[in-house]
Amino acid sequence: MSNRRRPSSCSAPPGAGKSTVAQAVFERTLDTGTRAQPTIEDFLRTVTIEMALEYADHTIRYGRT
C-alpha cells in the first residue's frame, strides 16, 4: 500500500457527524499505509450519550445477561 495521504478536499457527506469504527480504521490504514486494526478507543469514540443511556436503561430493565 502506498503512503499517500487523503486529499484535504475530501469531505464527509452531509449529516455525517460521527465516524464509525470501520471508517476510523479505514482512515488510519490510509494515513499510515499499514493495515490497521480497530482499537478500544475507536469503539469508545463512536459511542454516543444516547447509546450509553439506552444500554443503561436496557440493563436496568432486563438485567445484565
Side-chain angles (χ1 to χ4, degrees):
M1 172 156 268
S2 71
N3 205 7
R4 294 183 302 167
R5 308 258 328 164
R6 287 185 315 277
S8 59
S9 62
C10 289
S11 61
K18 280 228 168 233
S19 175
T20 65
V21 171
Q23 184 67 33
V25 172
F26 174 74
E27 290 176 3
R28 195 164 51 251
T29 296
L30 287 180
D31 288 344
T32 63
T34 306
R35 187 173 199 156
Q37 298 296 319
T39 64
I40 294 295
E41 289 77 21
D42 293 325
F43 287 98
L44 293 176
R45 273 192 296 275
T46 61
V47 173
T48 64
I49 291 173
E50 291 80 15
M51 292 165 82
L53 291 173
E54 184 178 342
Y55 176 79
D57 180 59
H58 182 81
T59 56
I60 289 168
R61 287 179 189 236
Y62 306 107
R64 298 178 108 196
T65 55

